[in-house]
Amino acid sequence: MIRRNLEHPEVKATRYRAHGGGIAHMILDTRHLQTLMFLAHGSVAPGKKLLGHVDPMEEIYIIQRGQGLMQVEDEVCEVGSGDAIHIPIGHFHELTNTGQKELTILVVAGLIPR
């Protein structure tokens, strides 16, 4: 069993700026996982966004707290606590915090296909 939280020293050491507008931490990554690339925690301040980008792997964004606008390719929808958004491989995506409080997410990423 591997147990991690945001206060774990290994997780705290992975803090980075995510796509220009958020802060993220790798909770688990390929050092621990066999069939997934990572599980990350991210936060986006009010009025900020995770800038639009494309990744070479499948992802799922899970909104923990807050509200925002999620864009995947040409589709845009409001998202909030409890929503899970599937992002297929190679699809443009962007997340904007439209609320007055911090938006927090979990991101699960599959391995990059060979």
Side-chain angles (χ1 to χ4, degrees):
M1 176 190 312
I2 299 172
R3 180 174 169 259
R4 293 284 189 273
N5 62 45
L6 295 178
E7 298 303 317
H8 189 280
E10 194 173 292
V11 173
K12 287 175 105 173
T14 67
R15 179 186 162 111
Y16 65 98
R17 179 150 311 273
H19 304 291
I23 301 296
H25 295 82
M26 290 292 170
I27 297 171
L28 296 168
D29 58 30
T30 54
R31 293 173 294 168
H32 313 101
L33 304 169
Q34 295 176 6
T35 61
L36 296 171
M37 182 173 288
F38 62 79
L39 169 64
H41 177 271
S43 62
V44 182
K48 300 291 184 180
K49 65 172 67 178
L50 295 179
L51 296 175
H53 61 283
V54 172
D55 291 308
M57 76 289 259
E58 182 175 36
E59 293 182 306
I60 300 170
Y61 278 31
I62 303 164
I63 310 299
Q64 290 184 294
R65 185 176 62 223
Q67 59 189 37
L69 283 179
M70 183 78 205
Q71 178 177 353
V72 178
E73 291 292 323
D74 294 331
E75 188 176 355
V76 178
C77 69
E78 292 183 6
V79 294
S81 179
D83 287 339
I85 302 96
H86 174 251
I87 303 161
I89 296 169
H91 279 58
F92 173 88
H93 53 286
E94 180 171 88
L95 177 61
T96 303
N97 182 344
T98 59
Q100 300 300 313
K101 297 181 180 179
E102 180 180 59
L103 173 68
T104 63
I105 62 172
L106 291 175
V107 179
V108 179
L111 292 173
I112 297 174
R114 296 178 199 235

